[in-house]
Amino acid sequence: MSMKWERGRMRILAAAGALAALAVLMLSTLLPVTAAADGGQAFSIAPPLLSLKTDPGKTVIAEIRLTNVSNGPMIMSAQANDFAAKDENGDPNIILNTSDSVPFSLREWVQLPAPFTLASKQTKTLEIPIAVPASGEPGGHYGVIRFTGTAPGANGTGVSLSASIGTLVLLQVSGNLQERASLADFYSANAQFTKKSSFQYGPVNFVTRVSDDGNIHLQPTGTITVKNLIGQKVATLRVNGDPSSATDIPKNILPSSIRRFQNTLNKKWLFGRYTARLDLTYGQDHKHLTANVSFWVIPYAIIVPAIIGLLIIAFGLRFGIRRYNAHIIKKAQGSAGRREPPTV
C-alpha cells in the first residue's frame, strides 16, 4: 500500500511540475492561464507574470486572481517554488525540489495563504505578501506562486492528478543593481538557424545570443540593419520586441543565463555582399551592445548554368567565325587560281 501511495505521489509531483512549466511558458504574456484537472475541474489565473520592486526589510504584495471555471467547487492550495532559465529560448525551469540551492531565490519570502474553497464560477483576488528580510540581497529574485485545485473529498478516494498553474514573480530588490550584459554571439544563419555566411538566395536568418552577467533581469532590445554592397539600406529588423508597442513586449533575460533571439530577412532575390549591424540597448542607463556581420548571396544555381551557356555560345560563335573565315579564304584562293593571264 505504501509503495502504491508513493508511486501516486510521484505521479502527482511530475504532473504538477509539467503543468506548472507549461502554464508559465511565455514570460511576457498578459493573458490569463487556464488549467484543467481530473473530473472536469478547471480554473484560471491572472496575471501569469508579475514584475515587482521593493526594498530590503520591506513587504510587497503580489495580487493574483483565481477563477473557478468549472461547474463544481474546488479546494485551492498554494505553493511557492523558485525558477531559473531552462534553455536559451527563455523557457522557465520550475524547481520543485525545495532542497536544491538556487541563486536569486524567492521561495522562502512568500507568505502563502491557507487552502480555501472556490465556488463554481467564482473569482477570488488574493493579496499574497512577499516579505524581503533586511539582509535580502539586492538584485533580482525569481519564483512562481502555484495553485492546485481539487474537488472536495477527492483526497479520500485515492490518487487524483490535479492541475497546477502559477504566476511568475520577477522581484527587484533595491540596492547595488548590476546591469551588465555581453554579446555571446551574432551571426547570419540558414533555414535551420545554423551559422552560415554564404547563400544562394534568401531568406537569410540572424541569431543573436545575449548573456546577462549582472544580478538583475534585463530586456535588451534594438535593431538589425541590413545594407548592400554600396551602403543602401535593405531592411531593418526588430530584435526582442518593441518597447513602444503594447503587443510586442520585450522578453527578459535572467541573471547568469543566455537568451537567444532569431530574426529573418524575408527577401528571396538578393545578390552580392551584405552587412548586418546589430544595435541593442538595455538597462536604465541605456547601455549599448553592437556587432557587425557580413554575408554573401550568390545564386550559383542560376549563375553557373548561365555562365556555361554563355561560354558555349562564345565558343560556338568563335568556331563559326573561324569556319566562315576559312571558307572565304578558300573561296578567294580558288577564284585566283582560275583567273586567265592578261593579254599583251
Side-chain angles (χ1 to χ4, degrees):
M1 181 67 180
S2 60
M3 289 295 296
K4 181 178 180 181
W5 170 253
E6 180 63 21
R7 288 196 298 269
R9 190 183 71 83
M10 293 302 294
R11 288 178 62 201
I12 293 173
L13 185 62
L19 287 167
L22 177 63
V24 295
L25 183 61
M26 300 301 294
L27 295 183
S28 301
T29 181
L30 298 179
L31 298 175
V33 178
T34 302
D38 289 350
Q41 306 297 317
F43 63 99
S44 65
I45 190 170
L49 173 68
L50 276 175
S51 293
L52 304 173
K53 295 181 180 181
T54 191
D55 304 318
K58 299 290 184 66
T59 297
V60 65
I61 300 298
E63 189 173 288
I64 298 175
R65 298 185 306 279
L66 289 174
T67 301
N68 181 359
V69 298
S70 65
N71 294 324
M74 300 183 69
I75 298 177
M76 310 300 300
S77 57
Q79 181 179 354
N81 297 97
D82 295 312
F83 82 90
K86 180 179 180 181
D87 50 36
E88 293 190 3
N89 295 322
D91 297 337
N93 178 30
I94 309 303
I95 301 170
L96 299 176
N97 191 344
T98 57
S99 63
D100 289 347
S101 178
V102 181
F104 313 107
S105 177
L106 177 67
R107 175 177 55 83
E108 294 183 355
W109 299 350
V110 181
Q111 299 177 1
L112 296 171
F116 60 93
T117 299
L118 199 61
S120 174
K121 313 305 179 184
Q122 179 186 0
T123 296
K124 183 179 180 64
T125 299
L126 302 172
E127 294 184 348
I128 301 176
I130 301 176
V132 180
S135 60
E137 185 178 356
H141 295 267
Y142 309 99
V144 56
I145 301 176
R146 294 193 295 118
F147 290 88
T148 301
T150 57
N155 291 337
T157 60
V159 175
S160 175
L161 296 182
S162 301
S164 175
I165 54 176
T167 293
L168 289 178
V169 179
L170 280 62
L171 177 63
Q172 176 179 308
V173 178
S174 64
N176 182 23
L177 300 182
Q178 301 172 18
E179 294 182 321
R180 294 197 305 266
S182 60
L183 194 62
D185 214 344
F186 173 58
Y187 55 86
S188 55
N190 60 15
Q192 290 74 41
F193 290 93
T194 302
K195 184 181 293 187
K196 189 176 182 181
S197 59
S198 61
F199 307 84
Q200 290 197 54
Y201 45 80
V204 176
N205 293 313
F206 299 96
V207 174
T208 305
R209 299 173 63 242
V210 181
S211 173
D212 187 338
D213 305 323
N215 65 356
I216 187 68
H217 50 281
L218 301 173
Q219 291 182 331
T221 183
T223 59
I224 296 173
T225 303
V226 182
K227 295 183 178 181
N228 61 18
L229 185 61
I230 61 176
Q232 291 180 327
K233 185 186 296 184
V234 174
T236 300
L237 311 175
R238 289 291 324 180
V239 180
N240 192 26
D242 185 351
S244 64
S245 173
T247 59
D248 193 12
I249 302 172
K251 299 176 177 61
N252 294 287
I253 308 177
L254 300 185
S256 302
S257 70
I258 294 176
R259 186 148 190 172
R260 175 189 180 103
F261 305 101
Q262 298 178 166
N263 293 89
T264 299
L265 175 60
N266 199 15
K267 294 179 180 292
K268 182 174 182 178
W269 301 115
L270 301 167
F271 183 80
R273 182 178 183 271
Y274 293 84
T275 300
R277 176 176 175 81
L278 173 71
D279 190 351
L280 299 179
T281 303
Y282 72 92
Q284 297 180 358
D285 296 333
H286 303 289
K287 299 176 182 178
H288 285 268
L289 293 173
T290 60
N292 293 280
V293 65
S294 297
F295 60 95
W296 288 83
V297 182
I298 306 293
Y300 304 104
I302 297 175
I303 291 179
V304 171
I307 291 175
I308 292 174
L310 289 175
L311 290 174
I312 292 173
I313 292 173
F315 280 112
L317 287 174
R318 185 178 180 184
F319 179 75
I321 291 172
R322 283 184 174 180
R323 290 289 303 271
Y324 179 76
N325 289 339
H327 173 71
I328 295 299
I329 293 173
K330 185 176 181 180
K331 185 176 181 181
Q333 290 175 345
S335 299
R338 293 192 301 269
R339 188 179 304 166
E340 297 180 357
T343 57
V344 178

